[in-house]
Amino acid sequence: MHSLDEPRILRGIIMDHYDNPRNRGLVDDESYTKVNMNSDTCIDNLDIQVKMNGDIIEDVRYDGEACAICTSSTSIMSELMIGKTKEEALKIFDNYMNMIYEKDYDEDLLEEAIAFKNTHKQANRIKCATLGWNGFIKIIKEGEE
């Protein structure tokens, strides 16, 4: 076990991204694809925007009303995905979901998203921790069609 296993550090990462969300705020630009994601179990209601440049994720934006878990997980996701290829992004997404659902995952790919590794202990928070991620992947997969 390394230092990131310490609950205080994990909580600190989550609160940092909640208090200082990265890439928050939508842009009025038709080169972005947008999707709305909301939860029936929480206040979470986010618009996610993704701008692709060929196979590269050039930008990820989001805004809306969301709890600390949803806001911070989406903030971390946006930081992780910007600059990645679709293939890299899908690999990160799959590893994040594997972590959330207690399957094998590569911790190194997840960076700060590792802060959500104990989410499975609070099943009612899983939707909060995955809402922004699912919105992002929906856009990526629709772009492939």
Side-chain angles (χ1 to χ4, degrees), residues 27-98:
V27 290
D28 188 11
D29 182 338
E30 288 177 14
S31 63
Y32 284 76
T33 305
K34 182 172 144 187
V35 67
N36 175 265
M37 299 296 287
N38 58 61
S39 170
D40 43 14
T41 56
C42 193
I43 62 163
D44 304 334
N45 187 341
L46 288 181
D47 286 318
I48 313 288
Q49 285 181 317
V50 177
K51 182 177 184 176
M52 298 298 297
N53 183 349
D55 198 37
I56 304 289
I57 293 144
E58 197 168 281
D59 197 14
V60 179
R61 314 285 314 167
Y62 63 94
D63 208 358
E65 190 174 7
C67 68
I69 299 291
C70 186
T71 299
S72 57
S73 69
T74 304
S75 172
I76 290 170
M77 177 275 293
S78 71
E79 283 200 316
L80 276 173
M81 298 305 188
I82 293 172
K84 300 290 191 296
T85 64
K86 262 189 203 175
E87 192 179 330
E88 290 168 329
L90 289 168
K91 193 171 179 185
I92 292 167
F93 175 84
D94 289 343
N95 275 275
Y96 182 76
M97 290 302 168
N98 283 351

